[in-house]
Coordinates of all heavy atoms in Angstrom, one line a residue:
M1 N 215.8 155.6 -54.4 CA 216.0 156.3 -55.6 C 214.9 155.9 -56.6 O 214.7 154.7 -56.8 CB 217.4 156.0 -56.1 CG 217.7 156.6 -57.5 SD 219.3 156.4 -58.2 CE 220.3 155.6 -57.1
E2 N 214.2 156.9 -57.1 CA 213.2 156.6 -58.1 C 213.7 156.9 -59.5 O 214.4 157.8 -59.8 CB 212.0 157.5 -57.8 CG 211.3 157.3 -56.5 CD 210.6 155.9 -56.4 OE1 210.1 155.5 -57.4 OE2 210.7 155.3 -55.3
L3 N 213.3 156.0 -60.4 CA 213.7 156.1 -61.8 C 213.3 157.5 -62.4 O 214.1 158.2 -63.1 CB 213.1 155.0 -62.7 CG 213.5 155.0 -64.2 CD1 215.0 155.0 -64.4 CD2 212.9 153.8 -64.8
Q4 N 212.1 157.9 -62.3 CA 211.6 159.2 -62.9 C 212.4 160.4 -62.3 O 212.7 161.3 -63.1 CB 210.1 159.3 -62.7 CG 209.5 160.5 -63.5 CD 209.8 160.3 -65.0 OE1 209.7 159.2 -65.6 NE2 210.1 161.4 -65.6
D5 N 212.6 160.4 -61.0 CA 213.4 161.4 -60.4 C 214.8 161.4 -61.0 O 215.4 162.5 -61.3 CB 213.5 161.2 -58.9 CG 214.3 162.2 -58.2 OD1 213.9 163.4 -58.4 OD2 215.2 161.9 -57.5
F6 N 215.4 160.3 -61.2 CA 216.8 160.2 -61.8 C 216.7 160.7 -63.2 O 217.6 161.5 -63.6 CB 217.3 158.7 -61.8 CG 218.6 158.6 -62.5 CD1 219.8 159.0 -61.9 CD2 218.7 158.0 -63.8 CE1 221.0 158.9 -62.5 CE2 219.9 157.9 -64.4 CZ 221.0 158.3 -63.8
I7 N 215.7 160.4 -64.0 CA 215.6 160.9 -65.4 C 215.5 162.4 -65.4 O 216.2 163.1 -66.3 CB 214.4 160.2 -66.1 CG1 214.7 158.7 -66.3 CG2 214.2 160.9 -67.5 CD1 213.5 157.9 -66.9
E8 N 214.8 163.0 -64.5 CA 214.6 164.4 -64.5 C 215.9 165.1 -64.1 O 216.3 166.1 -64.8 CB 213.5 164.8 -63.5 CG 212.1 164.5 -63.9 CD 211.1 164.6 -62.8 OE1 211.4 165.2 -61.7 OE2 210.0 164.2 -63.0
K9 N 216.7 164.6 -63.2 CA 218.0 165.1 -62.8 C 219.0 164.9 -63.9 O 219.8 165.8 -64.2 CB 218.5 164.5 -61.5 CG 217.7 165.0 -60.3 CD 218.2 164.3 -59.0 CE 217.8 164.9 -57.8 NZ 216.5 164.8 -57.3
F10 N 218.9 163.8 -64.6 CA 219.8 163.5 -65.7 C 219.5 164.5 -66.8 O 220.5 165.1 -67.4 CB 219.5 162.1 -66.2 CG 220.4 161.6 -67.3 CD1 221.6 161.0 -67.1 CD2 220.0 161.8 -68.6 CE1 222.5 160.6 -68.1 CE2 220.9 161.4 -69.7 CZ 222.1 160.7 -69.4
A11 N 218.3 164.8 -67.1 CA 217.9 165.7 -68.2 C 218.4 167.1 -67.9 O 218.7 167.9 -68.9 CB 216.4 165.7 -68.4
E12 N 218.5 167.5 -66.7 CA 219.0 168.8 -66.3 C 220.5 169.1 -66.7 O 220.9 170.2 -66.8 CB 218.8 169.1 -64.8 CG 217.4 169.2 -64.4 CD 217.2 169.3 -62.9 OE1 218.2 169.3 -62.1 OE2 216.1 169.3 -62.4
L13 N 221.2 168.0 -67.0 CA 222.6 168.1 -67.4 C 222.7 168.6 -68.8 O 223.8 168.9 -69.3 CB 223.3 166.8 -67.2 CG 223.4 166.2 -65.8 CD1 224.0 164.8 -65.8 CD2 224.3 167.1 -64.9
F14 N 221.6 168.6 -69.6 CA 221.7 168.9 -71.0 C 221.0 170.3 -71.2 O 219.8 170.5 -70.7 CB 220.9 167.9 -71.8 CG 221.6 166.5 -71.8 CD1 221.4 165.6 -70.7 CD2 222.5 166.2 -72.8 CE1 222.1 164.4 -70.7 CE2 223.2 164.9 -72.7 CZ 222.9 164.1 -71.7
D15 N 221.6 171.2 -71.9 CA 221.1 172.5 -72.1 C 220.1 172.6 -73.3 O 219.1 173.2 -73.3 CB 222.2 173.6 -72.3 CG 223.0 173.8 -71.1 OD1 222.5 173.7 -69.9 OD2 224.3 174.0 -71.2
D16 N 220.5 171.9 -74.4 CA 219.8 172.0 -75.6 C 218.9 170.8 -76.0 O 218.1 170.9 -76.9 CB 220.8 172.2 -76.8 CG 221.6 173.5 -76.6 OD1 221.1 174.5 -76.1 OD2 222.8 173.5 -77.0
T17 N 219.0 169.8 -75.2 CA 218.1 168.6 -75.4 C 216.9 168.7 -74.6 O 217.0 168.9 -73.4 CB 218.9 167.3 -75.1 OG1 220.1 167.3 -75.8 CG2 218.1 166.1 -75.4
D18 N 215.7 168.6 -75.2 CA 214.5 168.7 -74.5 C 214.3 167.6 -73.5 O 214.6 166.4 -73.9 CB 213.3 168.7 -75.5 CG 212.0 169.1 -74.8 OD1 211.7 170.3 -74.7 OD2 211.3 168.2 -74.4
A19 N 213.9 167.9 -72.3 CA 213.7 166.8 -71.3 C 212.7 165.7 -71.7 O 212.9 164.6 -71.3 CB 213.3 167.5 -70.0
S20 N 211.8 166.1 -72.6 CA 210.8 165.1 -73.0 C 211.5 164.0 -73.9 O 210.9 162.9 -74.1 CB 209.7 165.7 -73.8 OG 210.2 166.3 -75.0
E21 N 212.7 164.2 -74.4 CA 213.4 163.2 -75.2 C 214.0 162.2 -74.3 O 214.4 161.1 -74.8 CB 214.5 163.9 -76.0 CG 214.0 164.8 -77.1 CD 215.1 165.3 -78.0 OE1 216.1 164.6 -78.3 OE2 215.0 166.5 -78.3
M22 N 214.1 162.5 -73.0 CA 214.8 161.5 -72.1 C 213.8 160.5 -71.6 O 212.9 160.8 -70.8 CB 215.3 162.3 -70.9 CG 216.3 163.4 -71.2 SD 217.8 162.7 -71.9 CE 218.7 164.2 -72.2
Q23 N 213.9 159.3 -72.0 CA 213.1 158.2 -71.7 C 214.0 157.1 -71.1 O 215.2 157.1 -71.3 CB 212.3 157.7 -72.9 CG 211.5 158.8 -73.5 CD 210.4 159.3 -72.6 OE1 209.8 158.6 -71.9 NE2 210.1 160.6 -72.8
V24 N 213.4 156.0 -70.5 CA 214.1 154.9 -70.0 C 215.0 154.3 -71.1 O 216.1 153.8 -70.8 CB 213.2 153.9 -69.3 CG1 212.6 154.5 -68.1 CG2 212.2 153.3 -70.2
D25 N 214.5 154.2 -72.3 CA 215.2 153.5 -73.4 C 216.1 154.5 -74.2 O 216.6 154.1 -75.3 CB 214.3 152.8 -74.3 CG 213.2 153.7 -74.9 OD1 213.1 154.9 -74.5 OD2 212.5 153.2 -75.8
T26 N 216.3 155.7 -73.8 CA 217.1 156.7 -74.5 C 218.6 156.2 -74.4 O 219.1 156.0 -73.4 CB 217.0 158.1 -73.9 OG1 215.7 158.5 -74.1 CG2 217.9 159.1 -74.6
V27 N 219.2 156.1 -75.6 CA 220.7 155.8 -75.7 C 221.4 157.1 -75.5 O 221.6 157.8 -76.5 CB 221.0 155.0 -77.0 CG1 222.5 154.7 -77.0 CG2 220.2 153.8 -77.1
F28 N 221.7 157.4 -74.3 CA 222.2 158.7 -73.9 C 223.5 159.1 -74.6 O 223.7 160.3 -74.9 CB 222.3 158.9 -72.4 CG 223.2 158.0 -71.7 CD1 224.6 158.2 -71.6 CD2 222.7 156.8 -71.2 CE1 225.4 157.4 -70.9 CE2 223.5 155.9 -70.5 CZ 224.9 156.2 -70.3
Q29 N 224.4 158.2 -74.9 CA 225.7 158.5 -75.6 C 225.5 158.9 -77.0 O 226.4 159.4 -77.6 CB 226.6 157.4 -75.4 CG 227.0 157.2 -73.9 CD 227.9 156.0 -73.7 OE1 229.0 156.0 -74.3 NE2 227.6 155.1 -72.8
E30 N 224.3 158.7 -77.6 CA 224.0 159.0 -79.0 C 223.4 160.4 -79.1 O 223.2 160.9 -80.2 CB 223.1 158.0 -79.6 CG 223.8 156.7 -79.8 CD 222.9 155.6 -80.5 OE1 221.8 155.9 -80.8 OE2 223.4 154.5 -80.7
L31 N 223.1 161.0 -77.9 CA 222.5 162.4 -78.0 C 223.6 163.4 -78.5 O 224.8 163.3 -78.2 CB 222.1 162.8 -76.6 CG 221.0 162.0 -75.9 CD1 220.8 162.4 -74.5 CD2 219.7 162.2 -76.7
D32 N 223.1 164.3 -79.3 CA 224.0 165.3 -79.9 C 224.9 166.1 -78.9 O 226.0 166.4 -79.1 CB 223.3 166.3 -80.8 CG 222.7 165.7 -82.0 OD1 223.2 164.6 -82.5 OD2 221.8 166.3 -82.6
E33 N 224.3 166.3 -77.8 CA 224.9 167.1 -76.7 C 225.8 166.3 -75.8 O 226.5 166.9 -74.9 CB 223.8 167.7 -75.9 CG 224.1 169.0 -75.3 CD 222.9 169.7 -74.6 OE1 221.8 169.4 -74.8 OE2 223.2 170.5 -73.7
W34 N 225.9 165.0 -76.0 CA 226.7 164.1 -75.1 C 228.2 164.5 -75.3 O 228.7 164.7 -76.4 CB 226.5 162.7 -75.5 CG 227.4 161.8 -74.6 CD1 228.5 161.2 -75.0 CD2 227.1 161.4 -73.3 NE1 229.0 160.4 -73.9 CE2 228.1 160.6 -72.8 CE3 226.1 161.8 -72.4 CZ2 228.2 160.1 -71.6 CZ3 226.2 161.2 -71.1 CH2 227.2 160.4 -70.7
S35 N 228.9 164.6 -74.2 CA 230.3 165.0 -74.2 C 231.0 164.5 -72.9 O 230.3 164.0 -72.0 CB 230.5 166.5 -74.3 OG 230.1 167.1 -73.1
S36 N 232.3 164.6 -72.9 CA 233.0 164.3 -71.6 C 232.6 165.1 -70.5 O 232.6 164.7 -69.3 CB 234.5 164.4 -71.9 OG 234.9 165.7 -72.2
L37 N 232.2 166.3 -70.7 CA 231.7 167.2 -69.6 C 230.4 166.7 -69.1 O 230.1 166.8 -67.9 CB 231.5 168.6 -70.1 CG 232.8 169.4 -70.4 CD1 232.5 170.8 -71.0 CD2 233.6 169.5 -69.2
T38 N 229.6 166.1 -69.9 CA 228.3 165.5 -69.4 C 228.7 164.3 -68.5 O 228.0 164.1 -67.5 CB 227.4 165.0 -70.6 OG1 227.3 166.1 -71.6 CG2 226.1 164.6 -70.2
T39 N 229.7 163.5 -68.9 CA 230.1 162.4 -68.1 C 230.5 162.9 -66.7 O 230.1 162.3 -65.7 CB 231.3 161.7 -68.8 OG1 230.9 161.2 -70.0 CG2 231.7 160.5 -67.9
L40 N 231.3 164.0 -66.7 CA 231.7 164.5 -65.4 C 230.4 165.0 -64.6 O 230.4 164.9 -63.4 CB 232.6 165.7 -65.6 CG 234.0 165.3 -66.1 CD1 234.8 166.6 -66.4 CD2 234.7 164.4 -65.2
G41 N 229.5 165.6 -65.3 CA 228.2 166.0 -64.6 C 227.5 164.8 -64.0 O 226.9 164.9 -62.9
I42 N 227.5 163.7 -64.7 CA 226.8 162.5 -64.2 C 227.6 162.0 -62.9 O 227.0 161.6 -61.9 CB 226.7 161.4 -65.2 CG1 225.8 161.8 -66.3 CG2 226.3 160.0 -64.6 CD1 225.8 160.9 -67.5
I43 N 228.9 162.0 -63.0 CA 229.7 161.6 -61.8 C 229.4 162.5 -60.6 O 229.1 162.0 -59.5 CB 231.2 161.6 -62.2 CG1 231.5 160.6 -63.2 CG2 232.1 161.5 -60.9 CD1 232.9 160.7 -63.8
A44 N 229.3 163.8 -60.9 CA 229.0 164.7 -59.8 C 227.5 164.5 -59.3 O 227.3 164.5 -58.1 CB 229.2 166.2 -60.2
L45 N 226.6 164.3 -60.2 CA 225.2 164.1 -59.8 C 225.1 162.9 -58.9 O 224.4 162.9 -57.9 CB 224.4 163.9 -61.1 CG 222.9 163.4 -60.9 CD1 222.1 164.5 -60.3 CD2 222.3 162.9 -62.2
V46 N 225.7 161.8 -59.3 CA 225.6 160.5 -58.6 C 226.2 160.7 -57.2 O 225.6 160.2 -56.2 CB 226.2 159.4 -59.4 CG1 226.3 158.1 -58.5 CG2 225.5 159.1 -60.6
K47 N 227.3 161.4 -57.1 CA 228.0 161.6 -55.8 C 227.2 162.5 -54.9 O 227.0 162.2 -53.7 CB 229.4 162.2 -56.1 CG 230.2 162.4 -54.8 CD 230.6 161.1 -54.2 CE 231.5 161.2 -53.1 NZ 231.8 160.0 -52.5
T48 N 226.7 163.6 -55.4 CA 226.0 164.6 -54.6 C 224.5 164.2 -54.2 O 224.1 164.3 -53.1 CB 226.0 166.0 -55.2 OG1 225.3 165.9 -56.4 CG2 227.3 166.6 -55.3
E49 N 223.8 163.6 -55.2 CA 222.4 163.3 -55.0 C 222.2 161.9 -54.3 O 221.3 161.7 -53.6 CB 221.7 163.3 -56.3 CG 221.5 164.7 -56.9 CD 220.6 165.6 -56.1 OE1 219.6 165.1 -55.5 OE2 220.9 166.8 -56.1
Y50 N 223.1 161.0 -54.6 CA 222.9 159.6 -54.2 C 224.0 159.1 -53.3 O 224.0 157.9 -52.8 CB 222.7 158.7 -55.4 CG 221.6 159.2 -56.3 CD1 221.9 159.7 -57.5 CD2 220.3 159.2 -55.9 CE1 220.9 160.2 -58.3 CE2 219.3 159.7 -56.6 CZ 219.6 160.2 -57.9 OH 218.6 160.7 -58.7
G51 N 225.1 159.9 -53.1 CA 226.2 159.5 -52.2 C 227.0 158.2 -52.7 O 227.6 157.5 -51.9
K52 N 227.0 158.0 -54.0 CA 227.7 156.9 -54.6 C 228.8 157.4 -55.6 O 228.7 158.5 -56.1 CB 226.7 156.0 -55.3 CG 225.7 155.4 -54.4 CD 224.7 154.5 -55.1 CE 223.7 153.9 -54.1 NZ 222.9 152.8 -54.7
T53 N 229.7 156.6 -55.8 CA 230.8 156.9 -56.7 C 230.7 156.0 -58.0 O 230.6 154.8 -57.9 CB 232.2 156.7 -56.1 OG1 232.2 157.5 -54.9 CG2 233.3 157.1 -57.0
I54 N 230.8 156.7 -59.2 CA 230.8 156.0 -60.4 C 231.9 156.6 -61.3 O 232.3 157.8 -61.2 CB 229.4 156.2 -61.1 CG1 229.3 155.3 -62.3 CG2 229.1 157.6 -61.4 CD1 227.8 155.2 -62.9
T55 N 232.5 155.8 -62.2 CA 233.6 156.2 -63.0 C 233.1 156.4 -64.4 O 232.0 155.9 -64.8 CB 234.7 155.2 -63.1 OG1 234.2 154.0 -63.7 CG2 235.2 154.8 -61.7
G56 N 233.9 157.1 -65.2 CA 233.5 157.3 -66.6 C 233.4 156.0 -67.4 O 232.6 155.8 -68.2
K57 N 234.3 155.1 -67.1 CA 234.3 153.8 -67.7 C 233.0 153.0 -67.4 O 232.4 152.4 -68.3 CB 235.5 152.9 -67.2 CG 235.6 151.6 -67.9 CD 236.8 150.9 -67.4 CE 237.0 149.5 -68.1 NZ 238.2 148.8 -67.7
E58 N 232.5 153.2 -66.2 CA 231.3 152.5 -65.8 C 230.1 153.2 -66.5 O 229.2 152.5 -67.0 CB 231.1 152.6 -64.3 CG 232.1 151.7 -63.5 CD 232.1 151.9 -62.0 OE1 231.8 153.1 -61.6 OE2 232.4 151.0 -61.3
I59 N 230.1 154.5 -66.7 CA 229.1 155.2 -67.4 C 229.1 154.7 -68.9 O 228.0 154.4 -69.4 CB 229.2 156.7 -67.3 CG1 229.0 157.2 -65.8 CG2 228.3 157.4 -68.3 CD1 229.4 158.6 -65.6
R60 N 230.2 154.6 -69.5 CA 230.3 154.2 -70.9 C 229.9 152.8 -71.1 O 229.5 152.4 -72.2 CB 231.8 154.4 -71.4 CG 232.1 155.8 -71.6 CD 233.5 156.0 -72.3 NE 234.6 155.4 -71.6 CZ 235.3 155.9 -70.6 NH1 235.0 157.2 -70.2 NH2 236.3 155.3 -70.0
S61 N 229.9 152.0 -70.0 CA 229.5 150.6 -70.2 C 227.9 150.5 -70.2 O 227.4 149.4 -70.5 CB 230.0 149.7 -69.0 OG 229.3 150.0 -67.8
C62 N 227.3 151.5 -69.9 CA 225.8 151.6 -69.9 C 225.3 152.1 -71.2 O 226.0 153.0 -71.8 CB 225.2 152.4 -68.8 SG 225.7 151.8 -67.1
E63 N 224.2 151.6 -71.7 CA 223.7 152.0 -73.0 C 222.5 153.0 -72.9 O 222.5 154.1 -73.5 CB 223.3 150.8 -73.8 CG 222.9 151.2 -75.3 CD 222.6 150.0 -76.1 OE1 223.3 148.9 -75.9 OE2 221.7 150.0 -77.0
T64 N 221.5 152.6 -72.1 CA 220.3 153.5 -72.0 C 220.3 154.1 -70.6 O 221.1 153.8 -69.7 CB 219.1 152.6 -72.1 OG1 219.0 151.7 -71.0 CG2 219.0 151.9 -73.4
I65 N 219.5 155.1 -70.4 CA 219.3 155.8 -69.1 C 218.9 154.7 -68.1 O 219.4 154.8 -67.0 CB 218.3 156.9 -69.2 CG1 218.8 158.0 -70.1 CG2 218.0 157.5 -67.8 CD1 217.9 159.2 -70.4
K66 N 218.1 153.8 -68.4 CA 217.6 152.7 -67.5 C 218.8 151.9 -67.1 O 219.0 151.5 -65.9 CB 216.5 151.9 -68.1 CG 216.1 150.7 -67.3 CD 215.1 151.1 -66.2 CE 214.3 150.0 -65.6 NZ 215.0 149.0 -64.8
D67 N 219.7 151.5 -68.1 CA 220.9 150.8 -67.7 C 221.7 151.5 -66.7 O 222.2 150.9 -65.8 CB 221.8 150.5 -69.0 CG 221.1 149.6 -70.0 OD1 220.2 148.9 -69.7 OD2 221.5 149.7 -71.2
L68 N 221.9 152.8 -66.9 CA 222.7 153.6 -66.0 C 222.0 153.7 -64.6 O 222.7 153.5 -63.6 CB 222.9 155.0 -66.6 CG 223.7 156.0 -65.7 CD1 225.1 155.5 -65.5 CD2 223.7 157.4 -66.4
F69 N 220.7 153.9 -64.6 CA 220.0 153.9 -63.3 C 220.2 152.6 -62.6 O 220.5 152.5 -61.4 CB 218.5 154.2 -63.6 CG 217.7 154.0 -62.4 CD1 217.6 155.1 -61.5 CD2 216.9 152.9 -62.1 CE1 216.8 155.0 -60.3 CE2 216.1 152.8 -61.0 CZ 216.1 153.8 -60.1
D70 N 220.0 151.5 -63.3 CA 220.1 150.1 -62.7 C 221.5 149.9 -62.1 O 221.7 149.3 -61.1 CB 219.7 149.0 -63.7 CG 218.3 149.0 -64.0 OD1 217.5 149.6 -63.2 OD2 217.9 148.4 -65.0
F71 N 222.5 150.4 -62.9 CA 223.9 150.2 -62.4 C 224.1 151.0 -61.1 O 224.7 150.5 -60.2 CB 224.9 150.7 -63.5 CG 226.3 150.5 -63.0 CD1 226.9 149.3 -63.1 CD2 227.0 151.6 -62.6 CE1 228.2 149.1 -62.7 CE2 228.3 151.4 -62.1 CZ 228.9 150.2 -62.2
I72 N 223.6 152.3 -61.1 CA 223.8 153.1 -59.9 C 223.1 152.5 -58.7 O 223.7 152.5 -57.6 CB 223.3 154.5 -60.2 CG1 224.2 155.2 -61.2 CG2 223.3 155.3 -58.9 CD1 223.6 156.5 -61.8
V73 N 221.9 152.0 -58.9 CA 221.2 151.3 -57.8 C 221.9 150.1 -57.3 O 221.9 149.9 -56.1 CB 219.8 150.9 -58.3 CG1 219.1 150.0 -57.3 CG2 218.9 152.1 -58.6
S74 N 222.6 149.4 -58.2 CA 223.4 148.2 -57.7 C 224.6 148.5 -57.0 O 225.2 147.6 -56.3 CB 223.7 147.4 -59.0 OG 224.8 147.9 -59.7
L75 N 225.1 149.8 -57.0 CA 226.3 150.1 -56.2 C 226.1 150.0 -54.7 O 225.1 150.3 -54.2 CB 226.8 151.5 -56.6 CG 227.2 151.7 -58.1 CD1 227.5 153.2 -58.3 CD2 228.5 150.9 -58.3

């Protein structure tokens, strides 16, 4: 799993947020478009693309996109 590939897939979950705003240090839960539906999208993304299971609680424990990526890699 590559970080840049993950960021691109992560950015696709957002309709109104420009993908260029998504960086390793982006605090994703502070994005205007962040919602519980986005959390579900991340859960589905991780399951389908990477074959791993992550919970909403685990997502909320991450601050930046890099934190989330590192957590998923560690699973």
Side-chain angles (χ1 to χ4, degrees):
M1 176 179 354
E2 297 292 326
L3 178 57
Q4 190 57 41
D5 181 55
F6 176 75
I7 292 172
E8 290 170 10
K9 286 179 168 68
F10 184 89
E12 290 174 6
L13 297 171
F14 295 84
D15 294 327
D16 298 327
T17 305
D18 190 87
S20 66
E21 291 183 43
M22 303 292 180
Q23 304 296 323
V24 294
D25 59 350
T26 298
V27 180
F28 58 88
Q29 295 178 56
E30 292 181 0
L31 295 170
D32 290 339
E33 210 175 338
W34 180 257
S35 70
S36 58
L37 290 176
T38 312
T39 302
L40 292 174
I42 292 171
I43 291 169
L45 169 72
V46 171
K47 183 68 174 175
T48 59
E49 293 291 326
Y50 306 110
K52 298 181 179 192
T53 303
I54 189 170
T55 67
K57 183 177 181 179
E58 291 168 331
I59 293 169
R60 288 189 302 274
S61 73
C62 299
E63 186 172 327
T64 65
I65 294 175
K66 176 81 164 70
D67 293 340
L68 181 60
F69 173 80
D70 290 341
F71 181 80
I72 294 166
V73 168
S74 75
L75 292 175

